[in-house]
Amino acid sequence: MQRLLFPPFRALKGRQCLQLLAPRAAPRAQCDCIRRPLRPGQYSTISEVALQSGRGTVSLPSKAAERVVGRWLLVCSGTVAGAVILGGVTRLTESGLSMVDWHLIKEMKPPTSQEEWEAEFQRYQQFPEFKILNHDMTLTEFKFIWYMEYSHRMWGRLVGLAYILPAAYFWRKGWLSRGMKGRVLALCGLVCFQGLLGWYMVKSGLEEKSDSHDIPRVSQYRLAAHLGSALVLYCASLWTSLSLLLPPHKLPETRPLLQLRRFAHGTAGLVFLTALSGAFVAGLDAGLVYNSFPKMGESWIPEDLFTFSPILRNVFENPTMVQFDHRILGITSVTAITVLYFLSRRIPLPRRTKMAAVTLLALAYTQGSVLFNFILKISDLDEGIRNI
């Protein structure tokens, strides 16, 4: 409070009029000062000390509310990252189709008695995944996959509450500027859309397909949309929070800096596209088609890349083409990140920007090495099965 009040007092010592504007309080003219309307987005705490005189208005906005909003959005981005990880685990354990209903409030209470569990299991038995894939599943095994999907859905509800409830509080308190109100509305709307899209995705795996006896799975298109919207929500929340928490660096707009910025934007788009292609790989189980690297089987370019007609279908529905595209995009993304790192070394940049470039490079190669070792283990397992 002292830092807010004393500097203005010293700055305007001897002036005719001094007025402290408190939240939502209409300014009262006690002297011949010019009355100014409150600007949109003023904080409801004493977030602004307005010093008014006959020559104009000088204001000192407080950063306290911005820091609170920034930390809130940082936590929200962490919850979204947790939802993506938990969704991946749910996908790996093939648990996503275990809950065959969607109710916003009703399904928050899990089955508690033996009768309720048996009724839930009977509902699951009416859908293709049980009939084709899990027809010999026991109730104990069903409980495991059910709890996996239940955890993912409840985490999604937690993410929604983490966005909507604090947003309503900050809005009411007046801690959001006009521009921030638009961003917060967009983020909350995207959270709600994400939940509806998740159920729309699951619903595609519960539909009876009379012309197919393949393993029931969700639509790869809806899975990619579900993952893509989550990544957009995560990036938007993180970017907004860091914009509020970290002071901007004012660098000279040199040509190398502009080129680096454009290349960074292109690399981000490439990584996003690679992640979406990974969703298509997961949706089609395309990762199981070829388990060798860098070759796919005995050749660099498989012969069954264009088996579907029309040709464009192969990009989204042919498992071989989907895996091939994902490999190419992954290699290209790692290469682009490497080039981005070396470009950043040639330009004088702030310390945190250099740290971000190094961290990005380390994460890219760590992910690549983990995936490579995973493929090698799958290849060894496949070779061992053949030798039996």
Side-chain angles (χ1 to χ4, degrees):
M1 182 64 71
Q2 292 178 351
R3 285 179 294 179
L4 284 174
L5 298 180
F6 289 146
F9 272 108
R10 289 195 296 267
L12 294 184
K13 187 176 181 181
R15 294 279 182 93
Q16 293 181 353
C17 177
L18 180 131
Q19 184 180 8
L20 297 178
L21 294 185
R24 306 187 185 279
R28 297 181 179 179
Q30 300 296 338
C31 57
D32 57 346
C33 299
I34 296 178
R35 301 179 65 177
R36 303 277 180 173
L38 294 177
R39 294 183 292 107
Q42 280 189 307
Y43 305 117
S44 63
T45 58
I46 303 180
S47 61
E48 204 171 79
V49 179
L51 306 174
Q52 301 185 3
S53 65
R55 291 177 293 180
T57 300
V58 180
S59 61
L60 297 176
S62 170
K63 296 296 182 181
E66 287 187 358
R67 288 195 297 269
V68 173
V69 174
R71 290 167 184 167
W72 160 58
L73 289 176
L74 187 63
V75 172
C76 288
S77 64
T79 61
V80 175
V84 173
I85 295 173
L86 188 55
V89 174
T90 303
R91 175 66 189 173
L92 290 175
T93 55
E94 297 183 347
S95 307
L97 300 178
S98 57
M99 296 181 68
V100 297
D101 296 319
W102 190 88
H103 301 285
L104 184 61
I105 304 299
K106 181 180 177 181
E107 73 179 20
M108 295 178 65
K109 177 182 177 297
T112 55
S113 63
Q114 184 69 16
E115 292 76 12
E116 291 179 351
W117 273 115
E118 291 177 354
E120 188 72 25
F121 192 29
Q122 288 177 2
R123 282 193 292 270
Y124 174 69
Q125 293 173 2
Q126 299 173 9
F127 290 88
E129 185 176 71
F130 177 83
K131 297 177 181 178
I132 299 175
L133 182 64
N134 295 332
H135 51 84
D136 57 348
M137 174 176 283
T138 64
L139 180 59
T140 302
E141 294 171 335
F142 170 72
K143 287 181 179 181
F144 171 76
I145 64 172
W146 192 92
Y147 271 120
M148 288 299 303
E149 174 64 11
Y150 175 78
S151 300
H152 183 51
R153 294 193 185 190
M154 292 304 296
W155 189 271
R157 285 166 171 77
L158 177 64
V159 173
L161 293 177
Y163 274 91
I164 295 174
L165 293 184
Y169 176 78
F170 295 147
W171 191 299
R172 180 176 178 82
K173 296 289 288 185
W175 290 5
L176 302 176
S177 64
R178 176 181 294 180
M180 190 57 59
K181 286 180 179 180
R183 293 188 184 187
V184 168
L185 278 178
L187 292 175
C188 292
L190 188 56
V191 168
C192 298
F193 173 75
Q194 177 74 4
L196 295 175
L197 189 58
W199 169 243
Y200 182 64
M201 176 192 68
V202 170
K203 190 177 179 181
S204 65
L206 301 176
E207 297 173 352
E208 294 278 356
K209 300 177 182 178
S210 57
D211 57 340
S212 175
H213 297 282
D214 196 7
I215 296 175
R217 56 173 64 95
V218 299
S219 168
Q220 68 271 23
Y221 299 100
R222 301 183 190 184
L223 178 60
H226 189 51
L227 175 63
S229 60
L231 294 178
V232 170
L233 177 63
Y234 169 76
C235 292
S237 301
L238 184 62
W239 182 275
T240 305
S241 67
L242 294 181
S243 300
L244 294 173
L245 294 175
L246 299 179
H249 290 292
K250 295 183 179 180
L251 301 177
E253 296 291 334
T254 61
R255 183 176 180 182
L257 181 62
L258 293 176
Q259 292 177 345
L260 177 66
R261 187 176 296 163
R262 294 191 190 101
F263 193 82
H265 292 165
T267 302
L270 183 60
V271 172
F272 180 75
L273 186 61
T274 304
L276 290 187
S277 71
F280 279 89
V281 172
L284 293 171
D285 288 332
L288 303 177
V289 178
Y290 290 97
N291 52 22
S292 58
F293 186 85
K295 290 185 175 181
M296 298 180 69
E298 300 297 329
S299 60
W300 292 96
I301 301 178
E303 298 179 355
D304 53 342
L305 283 180
F306 300 99
T307 56
F308 288 19
S309 180
I311 294 179
L312 187 60
R313 279 187 59 200
N314 291 277
V315 179
F316 304 105
E317 299 180 13
N318 184 349
T320 301
M321 174 66 86
V322 168
Q323 185 187 141
F324 181 78
D325 292 343
H326 186 59
R327 291 186 178 206
I328 297 300
L329 286 171
I331 295 172
T332 307
S333 295
V334 173
T335 304
I337 291 173
T338 305
V339 173
L340 179 65
Y341 168 75
F342 284 107
L343 288 177
S344 67
R345 300 280 292 179
R346 299 169 55 185
I347 304 175
L349 295 173
R351 181 172 178 269
R352 72 167 182 249
T353 306
K354 293 182 178 180
M355 290 181 59
V358 173
T359 304
L360 179 63
L361 183 70
L363 290 175
Y365 278 92
T366 299
Q367 183 173 0
S369 62
V370 169
L371 181 59
F372 180 70
N373 290 328
F374 178 75
I375 293 176
L376 290 180
K377 289 184 180 297
I378 294 295
S379 300
D380 295 340
L381 179 62
D382 183 59
E383 187 67 24
I385 294 175
R386 292 180 181 180
N387 294 333
I388 294 178

